[in-house]
Amino acid sequence: MKNITLSADENLIEAARRRAVSEHSTLNAQFRLWLADYVGRERQAAQAMRTVRELQGKLRVGRKLTREEMNER
């Protein structure tokens, strides 16, 4: 694992440390989780776009969907 140095407001660092302790963790462990999530979101978005491109033109509903139907989640 590689070490890095970050700079942030002292009060934020202390508040983050207290929160990590309250979650039975460390600031370092929480940063590693955040970093993995940060990178993972980009990968998830790229995978979703690959899937959309793959499916374009392959799905048929059999009729034109209403605006409400297209926006349903």
Side-chain angles (χ1 to χ4, degrees):
M1 206 172 298
K2 187 172 184 167
N3 288 324
I4 62 171
T5 301
L6 302 170
S7 299
D9 180 89
E10 265 182 70
N11 296 325
L12 287 176
I13 293 170
E14 287 309 313
R17 278 197 176 117
R18 285 191 300 274
R19 180 174 173 184
V21 166
S22 76
E23 296 173 357
H24 307 288
S25 186
T26 64
L27 190 53
N28 199 41
Q30 291 302 313
F31 176 75
R32 284 193 301 269
L33 290 172
W34 173 83
L35 191 60
D37 180 61
Y38 182 73
V39 172
R41 279 183 269 148
E42 185 176 327
R43 289 180 186 153
Q44 286 176 327
Q47 177 58 46
M49 288 309 299
R50 282 192 295 274
T51 301
V52 167
R53 282 192 296 275
E54 228 175 81
L55 294 175
Q56 276 181 328
K58 293 182 180 179
L59 298 176
R60 298 283 183 242
V61 176
R63 65 180 170 79
K64 186 172 172 109
L65 297 174
T66 67
R67 169 178 250 153
E68 290 78 24
E69 289 172 323
M70 287 190 288
N71 289 314
E72 281 181 7
R73 296 187 189 249

